[in-house]
Amino acid sequence: MNKKALYSFFIGFFLLVVVTIINQWSFKSMKEYTAAVDHSREVINSFERLSNHFKSAQIYSPQHEQAYDKFFYLYKVDAEGLDREVGRLKRLVQYNPEQRNRVDSIGLWIQQQLGTLLQKGVVGIVADKEDWRLKQLFIIHMAINEGVVYELNLLAEREIELQQLTHLTSILTLVFTIVAIALIVWTLISNILLVRKRNWLEGFLGSVLNTTQNGVVSFKAIRQGDTISDFEIEYANYAIKKFLGATPDKLVGQRLSGMDGFVQEYKLMERFKQVVEKGEMQELEVWYKENNRNGWYYVLLAQRDDGITVTFHDISDLKRYEEELKKKIEALEHSNTELEQYAYAASHDLQEPLRKIQIFSDFLNETQSDRLDESGKVHLTRIANAAARMSGLIKDVLSFSSIRQEDAFVETDLKGIVQKVLRDLDLLIAQKGATIEVEPLPIIEAVPIQMTQLFYNLINNALKFSHPDREPYLQIRVQKLSPEAVIAQAGLNPLLSYFEITCSDNGIGFDQKMADNIFGLFKRLGDRNDYPGSGIGLALCKKVVLNHQGVIVAEGNHGEGACFRLFLPERQSPVTEAST
């Protein structure tokens, strides 16, 4: 039963209890009303008897008693019962202050007039013209009638209250009963639907467990007191047969302690106890070799009530691929080492003939230039220029290939890096008449030599590709990115803190359509004849930035200038440090 159905059932049951209490209260009220009605009727009857006795006292006369002794004797007997009836009335109205005062007054007045009545009678009082006594007698009758009317009014009020109470009780009983029955019926229907859904889910779960390619085994803990002594298999799906060679019905009921081999080897009993007692999941890779079957399995242990669920799947192919991949990585690393050695040797071997070409071309130019015509001199100059470009290209390629992730990251002062680059380029800056403004740069975790290569190429490019009609101007600014800005910038690690360093110039710029292409190897911003270079500088910049988990973005307007935005982390992530 789900919580909603359970709550509805309890609410319905509570309402039925409330209805029962209301009915009990109503029944009690009706009993009280009946008792009150009986009491009021008894008071009214007592008032009426008192009135009759008082009337008899008024009719009685001693003279008439002698003449009509039998008839008037009855009036005398009634008159003598006045005190007794007054006493009964006092007992009946003792808890009603108004009626008690009224009865007390009536009793006092009767005592004052009863002696005279029994001696003279009303006839004698009239004959003696004692009008005040007649008025007093009238007041007594009026007081008795008021007492009767008071009780009749009480009966009417109680009847109205009873009708209102009965009406309210009927409404509340009806409403609460309907709501309670509706809730109980809804609970029953919900339970029926819940049972159907649970049966469907059980069937669905069973079909999923029996069609999955993963093995699933459920164990329950066997305890001695509060200590786990063993685990017993409660359930196993059909995939077990493929992995272990045993059907589920043969496995159910077996205990973990009865399984040899890999259970002891991988200390599964201790692992199972840790999972159940601490509620922590565990995962491990197991080499299974039982029943003529062997292979690697990835095993996941998870707590389930006072037991454990074990899921596993065959990773033999994956382990084989891992071994093959390790061998290929080793072969690749060996190949890369050989390539680096080859590149170094090739560069050394290439530089030697280039130097000879440069030396002999210079020698020819110095010793044989007067024997060459203009065409020969041009060709000789072209040979020397081509050799110089080739030498520069070899150096740049070696510089690009030497950038590796294996270099150590240390605390690097970018301000000092840029100042060193500016000192190296001070002659070119003076020749160009360039103005360079640099904001205070931060200290970050980086490879110093790579940061030097990065800023050298950016500043050198700004000077190299300056506009012929204006003096070069370069501005280097920096700002700390907010976490929101880091997330917004594609390619950045949201777990790291970044600086944005902007290098903007007023040079020849470039078409924004070429913003991505200019970072490729041997891509150039200008004509080779007007702007010398190998086309590797910006590719090297991008490689350095990527090696530092950063991003470099190029923005430009043709003829107006270029802007390079560097996003560099303040600290390298642990993953990167581990990989280095």
Side-chain angles (χ1 to χ4, degrees):
M1 183 181 295
N2 61 16
K3 288 186 177 180
K4 289 185 178 179
L6 188 63
Y7 291 157
S8 299
F9 175 78
F10 280 123
I11 292 173
F13 180 77
F14 174 74
L15 290 178
L16 288 179
V17 172
V18 171
V19 168
T20 303
I21 294 173
I22 290 174
N23 286 329
Q24 289 291 334
W25 176 62
S26 177
F27 179 72
K28 182 180 178 181
S29 299
M30 290 184 67
K31 287 178 64 178
E32 292 175 354
Y33 169 76
T34 302
V37 168
D38 291 341
H39 179 269
S40 292
R41 292 194 181 280
E42 188 175 355
V43 172
I44 290 172
N45 291 334
S46 183
F47 269 117
E48 289 178 347
R49 285 195 299 270
L50 180 63
S51 177
N52 292 332
H53 290 333
F54 189 59
K55 289 177 181 177
S56 296
Q58 295 177 59
I59 295 172
Y60 172 76
S61 173
Q63 294 83 5
H64 292 112
E65 181 180 3
Q66 295 176 1
Y68 307 99
D69 56 341
K70 292 183 180 180
F71 182 75
F72 278 90
Y73 175 76
L74 295 176
Y75 291 115
K76 183 179 180 181
V77 171
D78 280 347
E80 291 174 350
L82 282 171
D83 290 336
R84 184 175 63 256
E85 202 61 45
V86 170
R88 181 184 294 112
L89 265 176
K90 287 183 178 181
R91 289 192 299 274
L92 289 174
V93 300
Q94 59 182 326
Y95 299 111
N96 189 322
E98 185 175 347
Q99 286 286 64
R100 187 175 64 243
N101 292 334
R102 182 179 287 112
V103 172
D104 289 342
S105 298
I106 292 173
L108 179 62
W109 293 336
I110 289 176
Q111 288 179 0
Q112 292 175 351
Q113 301 297 329
L114 183 60
T116 303
L117 279 175
L118 293 178
Q119 291 178 2
K120 296 181 181 182
V122 174
V123 176
I125 292 173
V126 172
D128 292 341
K129 295 182 180 181
E130 294 179 307
D131 293 339
W132 65 274
R133 289 189 183 275
L134 291 175
K135 187 176 180 180
Q136 188 70 34
L137 295 177
F138 180 76
I139 291 173
I140 293 172
H141 279 293
M142 290 294 296
I144 292 173
N145 290 335
E146 286 175 358
V148 172
V149 171
Y150 179 86
E151 292 296 329
L152 289 175
N153 290 335
L154 280 181
L155 284 175
E157 291 176 1
R158 286 166 180 163
E159 183 177 3
I160 293 173
E161 291 177 358
L162 180 64
Q163 290 176 352
Q164 293 176 346
L165 176 63
T166 303
H167 181 67
L168 178 61
T169 302
S170 300
I171 293 175
L172 291 177
T173 301
L174 180 62
V175 171
F176 285 1
T177 302
I178 292 174
V179 173
I181 292 174
L183 289 173
I184 292 174
V185 170
W186 182 83
T187 302
L188 293 175
I189 294 174
S190 297
N191 283 337
I192 293 173
L193 295 177
L194 186 62
V195 169
R196 290 182 178 178
K197 185 176 181 180
R198 184 178 63 189
N199 293 336
W200 181 87
L201 287 174
E202 288 177 353
F204 175 74
L205 180 60
S207 65
V208 170
L209 290 175
N210 289 321
T211 56
T212 181
Q213 298 300 311
N214 295 338
V216 180
V217 182
S218 180
F219 291 82
K220 69 175 180 180
I222 304 300
R223 294 180 178 270
Q224 292 182 351
D226 295 332
T227 305
I228 298 176
S229 60
D230 205 345
F231 290 89
E232 182 179 309
I233 296 178
E234 285 187 311
Y235 171 84
N237 68 341
Y238 290 143
I240 291 296
K241 185 176 181 181
K242 179 181 70 173
F243 294 136
L244 306 181
T247 57
D249 56 340
K250 291 184 178 180
L251 287 176
V252 173
Q254 291 190 21
R255 296 200 173 186
L256 188 65
S257 58
M259 302 177 186
D260 299 326
F262 73 99
V263 174
Q264 284 76 22
E265 181 180 354
Y266 293 98
K267 299 180 180 180
L268 292 185
M269 183 68 73
E270 290 76 7
R271 290 179 180 270
F272 278 28
K273 290 180 180 179
Q274 289 177 2
V275 171
V276 174
E277 293 171 351
K278 297 182 179 180
E280 60 182 15
M281 295 180 63
Q282 291 195 21
E283 52 185 337
L284 64 153
E285 294 179 356
V286 174
W287 170 256
Y288 178 80
K289 188 176 182 181
E290 301 283 344
N291 301 326
N292 297 323
R293 294 175 180 270
N294 59 76
W296 281 99
Y297 294 97
Y298 172 79
V299 181
L300 184 65
L301 311 178
Q303 183 186 20
R304 182 193 60 80
D305 297 329
D306 192 29
I308 187 172
T309 297
V310 181
T311 59
F312 57 91
H313 61 272
D314 193 344
I315 58 171
S316 300
D317 292 339
L318 180 61
K319 296 292 286 186
R320 185 166 57 253
Y321 294 151
E322 284 182 358
E323 292 300 322
E324 293 176 358
L325 184 59
K326 286 180 181 178
K327 293 179 181 179
K328 290 180 179 179
I329 290 174
E330 291 176 357
L332 182 60
E333 290 177 349
H334 180 70
S335 176
N336 286 339
T337 302
E338 291 182 344
L339 284 174
E340 288 179 2
Q341 294 174 353
Y342 171 77
Y344 178 79
S347 65
H348 183 272
D349 293 343
L350 288 174
Q351 288 284 8
E352 183 60 28
L354 281 175
R355 280 195 294 271
K356 289 182 178 180
I357 292 173
Q358 289 174 320
I359 290 172
F360 284 117
S361 63
D362 290 341
F363 178 76
L364 288 175
N365 189 39
E366 292 176 359
T367 61
Q368 304 296 326
S369 61
D370 56 340
R371 298 183 181 182
L372 298 175
D373 58 10
E374 291 301 321
S375 177
K377 292 179 181 180
V378 169
H379 290 316
L380 187 61
T381 301
R382 287 181 177 178
I383 291 173
N385 292 338
R389 285 198 304 272
M390 186 63 183
S391 178
L393 183 60
I394 292 172
K395 291 179 181 177
D396 289 342
V397 169
L398 282 176
S399 178
F400 181 82
S401 63
S402 66
I403 296 176
R404 300 176 298 177
Q405 280 193 324
E406 288 78 9
D407 294 332
F409 290 88
V410 297
E411 295 286 334
T412 304
D413 185 0
L414 296 184
K415 177 181 178 181
I417 295 290
V418 171
Q419 288 176 348
K420 180 178 179 300
V421 170
L422 293 178
R423 285 195 299 270
D424 293 341
L425 295 172
D426 57 355
L427 183 59
L428 181 59
I429 293 172
Q431 291 174 350
K432 293 277 188 174
T435 300
I436 300 177
E437 294 182 1
V438 182
E439 291 184 357
L441 298 177
I443 296 175
I444 66 172
E445 199 171 54
V447 180
I449 189 171
Q450 293 183 18
M451 288 293 105
T452 301
Q453 291 172 309
L454 171 64
F455 284 101
Y456 180 87
N457 281 280
L458 289 174
I459 297 173
N460 188 53
N461 273 358
L463 297 172
K464 182 192 302 182
F465 298 103
S466 60
H467 199 282
D469 297 333
R470 51 179 176 261
E471 292 182 347
Y473 173 76
L474 173 64
Q475 185 180 44
I476 300 177
R477 296 175 297 172
V478 63
Q479 66 171 340
K480 184 75 173 287
L481 290 184
S482 65
E484 293 77 14
V486 173
I487 295 173
Q489 178 61 46
L492 300 185
N493 186 343
L495 301 178
L496 299 180
S497 175
Y498 281 84
F499 288 102
E500 179 185 3
I501 301 173
T502 305
C503 300
S504 55
D505 61 57
N506 64 343
I508 62 173
F510 59 89
D511 191 338
Q512 187 61 31
K513 295 179 181 178
M514 299 294 295
D516 293 330
N517 295 333
I518 62 176
F519 292 109
L521 279 172
F522 309 114
K523 299 293 183 180
R524 303 177 54 82
L525 291 176
D527 186 83
R528 183 174 64 185
N529 295 324
D530 297 331
Y531 303 97
S534 61
I536 295 178
L538 290 179
L540 185 144
C541 290
K542 183 173 183 180
K543 188 173 182 181
V544 169
V545 172
L546 291 178
N547 189 38
H548 287 74
Q549 297 190 87
V551 171
I552 182 170
V553 177
E555 299 172 352
N557 280 321
H558 187 69
E560 297 182 6
C563 176
F564 292 91
R565 298 165 61 200
L566 311 176
F567 298 91
L568 296 173
E570 185 175 8
R571 294 285 182 271
Q572 295 296 310
S573 69
V575 174
T576 300
E577 292 174 2
S579 65
T580 59

